[in-house]
Amino acid sequence: MNSPTIILYNGRIHTMDRLRPYASALAVVGDRIAAVGDDSLRSLASPTTQLIDLGGRTVTPGFIDAHLHFLAYGLSLREIDLMNVPSIEAALERIAERAQSTPAGQWLTGRGWDQVLWPEAVFPTATQLDAVTPNHPAFLRRKCGHAGWANSLALKLAGITRDTPDPDGGAIERDPVTGEPTGILLERAMDLIFRLQAIPSDAEAVEAVRVAMRRVHSLGITGIHNMEAAPALRAFQELRRRGEWKLRVLQQIPEVDMDAAIELGIQSGYGDEWIRFGAVKIFADGSLGARSALMIEPYEGEPHNRGIAVSTAQHLKEQVMKAAQAGLAVHIHAIGDQANRNVLDAIEATRRAGVGAHLRHRIEHAQVLHPADLPRFAALQVIPSMQPIHCTQDIMLADRHWGARSRLAYAWSSLLSSGAVLAFGSDAPVETPDVLQGVYAAVTRRRADGFPGAEGWWPEECVSVEEAAYAYTVGAAYAGGEEAIKGSLTPGKLADLTVLDRDIFTIAAEELLQTRVMATMVGGEFVYGA
């Protein structure tokens, strides 16, 4: 072994390697872990080795966010932030402030509003938005990203009237009396607005991604699974050319680009340790918050609403087969129990046909399952890629709209017990990419304020800190087909790690929210702290 470049010692190292789960010291040579053991590793040091006394701090493998929208997250940091606003009045006040500093005629954009948090838990309207945006087109996405709130000027520019038909896979909310659009657009109806808005320039995308990278480094994140298209990929590559890129990316391929990827010959796993192609991203349905998640039975109190099939069951079968035959895995967004069933059926068809047996297919979110479908994840080797913080933010919505079906909503423990491999992420900018908040949500199924009570919501589905951390490290690496090079602190793997100020595996759950990331290392280089 070459002389170590860095030796960390006097620490509480949780390797996530089940052959050697604990250590106090770790040696790095270049960008790789060279040795893991006790403090006697200091004897390997040469005059050029950097010795770092951890002072009893905790080290874990670098966190991997298995589902986010990285460019959108970077851009969201400069948009109108409506996360957790407690009322529509508070939302309008924040929008009005931005309108006052924005030249007339320019678009006002933002995201994060959640009508469930408001005293009257109903969708907002264009008329309400018009009052504070008389000189700007405005469009603000709900926190889930599956519903948008437009003002009258935006609707006019998009040509949306009472006579505009609902697009396939989308819906225009209408006043039940007049038939006029209310200002709420669901799913693919939002495309009528998106096509009017400027796509960020390459320079803007690079800057947004750079800012986002710095932010996630401060959260201990060393890798991401990105659910976006070409603008983000170009930005990653540009920063890498400049020598600035210090984050590992599993890049997905939007369904609309699948044929081009197949024609070019791209397959899952193509790339290197920094940027690698993962799978084709497909949408099966909408979201719980927009009541467009596709359900087997109607929503509670809405006998005619079973949600929206963004993709039909037949379309899913055709697309999954096409992807698998070309060597591409699929990562399919599915929230409702019918959508999850449709995706499992589509993947099962390829498994039975013996097509792409090696591919790591995933269901993104898998938020509510029918009992008959839960064991199919392990049986079909489908990875549930889930976001714990969605659970705690959606408790009231799930109870209201799904009722008793919520027993198998966010069913982490049941899926683990069935033999499935969990991968955890954030869905940022829908939720915060703060991994420790995600771990807290997974362990307690409570919000930071203690809601809904000491036991948590459906506590049978809580997982341990070890299980949650595994899903953010080894599980996420496995979900990307990269467990041989990352996910655990094992000799020969990449030197990606996170240093925490306390041992999250021994503290009370409430302390998880006070835990701080002290340093983040990517490829043997400290990119934050130290």
Side-chain angles (χ1 to χ4, degrees), residues 382-417:
V382 175
I383 297 159
S385 169
M386 305 175 77
Q387 301 74 43
I389 203 166
H390 277 323
C391 169
T392 53
Q393 296 304 305
D394 287 350
I395 291 171
M396 290 188 292
L397 277 174
D399 282 340
R400 179 180 305 157
H401 299 308
W402 291 341
R405 289 171 287 185
S406 294
R407 171 60 189 85
L408 286 181
Y410 319 92
W412 310 312
S413 182
S414 292
L415 284 163
L416 278 177
S417 297

Side-chain angles (χ1 to χ4, degrees), residues 93 112 124 172 175 197 201 219 387 451 454 522:
E93 181 179 351
I172 301 167
D175 185 283
Q197 297 176 332
S201 68
L219 301 174
Q387 301 74 43
F451 179 84
V522 180

